[in-house]
Each structure stands twice: as C-alpha cells, then as structure tokens.
Amino acid sequence: MPLIVMCGFPSSGKTRRANEIKDYFEKNTERKVHIVGDGTMRIEKNTVYAESPREKNVRGSLKAEVERKINKEDIVILDSLNYIKGYRYELFCLIKHTQTPHCVVYCLTSVEVSSAWNSSREPKEQYTQEILDALVLRFEAPDSRNRWDSPLFTIQQEDTLPFDGISDAVFKRKAPPQNQSTLSQPLSSTNFLYELDKVTQEVLMAILNAQKTSIPGDLITVPGTTDKISF
C-alpha cells in the first residue's frame, strides 16, 4: 500500500517521527506498518557513508526491501536520509509501477541542531563530525514542485506531525499513472502481420499511382482513412 519517505539531515529526528507515524496508523487503522531503514538493516553509518560505492549498495538494498514489503494492504515507511533527489525519483518510479500513493516527510533542522542531537547520542550511534558535515553539504532538499517530492510535509523541531494530512495523502489520493511504456499492451490478433502487410501495400500502391498523374502540391487520400497527404 502507501509509501512514506522520510527525509532530512543526519540526526534530524527522522526515526522519532517515523515511529510516531507508525504508532498513529497502528492505533487508528487495521493496517500493518513496516519501517525500513538504516537502523532496521543495522547499517554501520560511518563506514557506509564514507565510501560512495558502499552507500550506493545500501541505497539499492533499502529500495529492494521497500519493493518486497509494498503490497495492497500494508504501509511502508522508509526511514533513511533519502537526501539525493535522483534516489527519491527512483522511489517515485517504484510506486508508479506498483500503483500505490506516497508522500515525503521532511524533518527540517539547522546544521547546529543536528550536530547537537548527534552529540547527545550514544557514541556508537553517532555520526563522526566529518561524515555529518559531508552529508549536509551533499543534501538535496525536497521541493514540492517536483512530482516525486509531492505531497511534501515539512516538519520543524517543535511541530506536531500533521497526521490527518499524511493519512489523506496516502489513502485518499490516487496513485500516479504508469508510464505508457510500462503498461501491458493488448495481444495482437493472429493475422496481425497479414493485415499490416495488406494495408502497407494499399498505401504504397496509392502513392505509386498518384505519381503517374499528380503534380507537387496535390493531395492524396490515404486508403482506409479520410486523411490526405501532400504530394
């Protein structure tokens, strides 16, 4: 069912907000709620985010886990940085393919607040200051004008989550339409090739015959249609 994408600086309160959303839906609906994220996959953040190839592999693993858990009934919350707009677009393509709604919850904090919250964690749960600063510099903030970032809920430090708005976004909105290239095409009839060849020959014959009597600028009727083409 719906996908809720958390987004924000390191140590910006994403996990706390994800758990608040999970508690709300478990108390107010009969749906299962799955949280997928760095914590659930036991990611060594200072190792992963220090090397681009490892980080890319982790993003792929998170996306694959989301894809496995998405179904017609459950709610999936992706609790990770999700700081690259190209990655959020990939998630948007995923929900288009699975035909389910989504929204983005952006935990907006200052660098100073994130650094302070990071320092208050247990040492093994902290980002190094070097990693935190690098991730902040690479962060691409969500923009509601982008369809892959919409609907967007921006939550500041003291805000109460807009549970009704999030619920409406994931339950009352239609899923984005699939791309035409991904839709299943109807099967062709068994004599399709024969009919195609027949029509093609008719059009060619009409053009060849017109060449004998027409002059540039004349209009030629296309067989089987009311359309005309200029000779």
Side-chain angles (χ1 to χ4, degrees), residues 205-231:
M205 288 303 299
I207 294 174
L208 291 173
N209 290 333
Q211 286 181 330
K212 300 175 182 178
T213 58
S214 301
I215 60 174
D218 286 353
L219 295 178
I220 304 172
T221 301
V222 178
T225 74
T226 58
D227 295 335
K228 293 185 178 181
I229 59 175
S230 178
F231 180 71

Side-chain angles (χ1 to χ4, degrees), residues 56-110:
K56 184 176 180 180
N57 289 337
V58 166
R59 287 199 302 269
S61 297
L62 289 170
K63 179 182 172 184
E65 185 65 15
V66 166
E67 189 169 10
R68 279 192 291 269
K69 291 190 179 298
I70 280 184
N71 57 44
K72 295 296 184 182
E73 300 298 330
D74 300 348
I75 299 168
V76 179
I77 302 173
L78 179 55
D79 175 26
S80 188
L81 297 172
N82 300 315
Y83 70 95
I84 300 173
K85 63 182 178 181
Y87 183 59
R88 296 195 299 271
Y89 178 72
E90 289 180 22
L91 295 170
F92 176 73
C93 292
L94 172 62
I95 63 104
K96 285 178 68 175
H97 178 70
T98 55
Q99 283 294 277
T100 184
H102 94 307
C103 71
V104 176
V105 178
Y106 176 25
C107 297
L108 177 60
T109 57
S110 66

Side-chain angles (χ1 to χ4, degrees), residues 22-148:
K22 181 176 185 290
D23 290 343
Y24 172 82
F25 282 117
E26 287 181 338
K27 290 177 181 177
N28 292 277
T29 71
E30 296 182 354
R31 301 179 187 274
K32 293 181 180 179
V33 183
H34 305 282
I35 293 181
V36 176
D38 295 3
T40 61
M41 299 190 71
R42 300 179 180 178
I43 292 170
E44 295 289 341
K45 60 188 70 175
N46 288 311
T47 301
V48 166
Y49 292 115
E51 298 182 16
S52 180
R54 289 188 179 185
E55 183 182 346
K56 184 176 180 180
N57 289 337
V58 166
R59 287 199 302 269
S61 297
L62 289 170
K63 179 182 172 184
E65 185 65 15
V66 166
E67 189 169 10
R68 279 192 291 269
K69 291 190 179 298
I70 280 184
N71 57 44
K72 295 296 184 182
E73 300 298 330
D74 300 348
I75 299 168
V76 179
I77 302 173
L78 179 55
D79 175 26
S80 188
L81 297 172
N82 300 315
Y83 70 95
I84 300 173
K85 63 182 178 181
Y87 183 59
R88 296 195 299 271
Y89 178 72
E90 289 180 22
L91 295 170
F92 176 73
C93 292
L94 172 62
I95 63 104
K96 285 178 68 175
H97 178 70
T98 55
Q99 283 294 277
T100 184
H102 94 307
C103 71
V104 176
V105 178
Y106 176 25
C107 297
L108 177 60
T109 57
S110 66
V111 178
E112 293 75 19
V113 168
S114 290
S115 293
W117 284 356
N118 182 59
S119 299
S120 67
R121 289 178 164 184
E122 293 290 329
K124 64 179 182 180
E125 296 295 326
Q126 292 181 15
Y127 293 88
T128 65
Q129 193 61 45
E130 181 182 3
I131 294 295
L132 189 147
D133 290 342
L135 289 170
V136 167
L137 286 175
R138 299 203 298 266
F139 188 81
E140 297 175 326
D143 185 340
S144 62
R145 292 172 295 182
N146 298 327
R147 62 190 186 279
W148 56 87

Side-chain angles (χ1 to χ4, degrees), residues 25 101 151 153 162-174:
F25 282 117
F153 299 92
F163 294 111
D164 290 341
I166 294 172
S167 180
D168 288 348
V170 295
F171 290 130
K172 295 185 179 181
R173 290 176 64 254
K174 291 183 179 180

Side-chain angles (χ1 to χ4, degrees), residues 7-20:
C7 181
F9 285 168
S11 300
S12 58
K14 297 182 297 299
T15 297
R16 175 170 65 89
R17 297 298 195 174
N19 284 318
E20 289 177 4

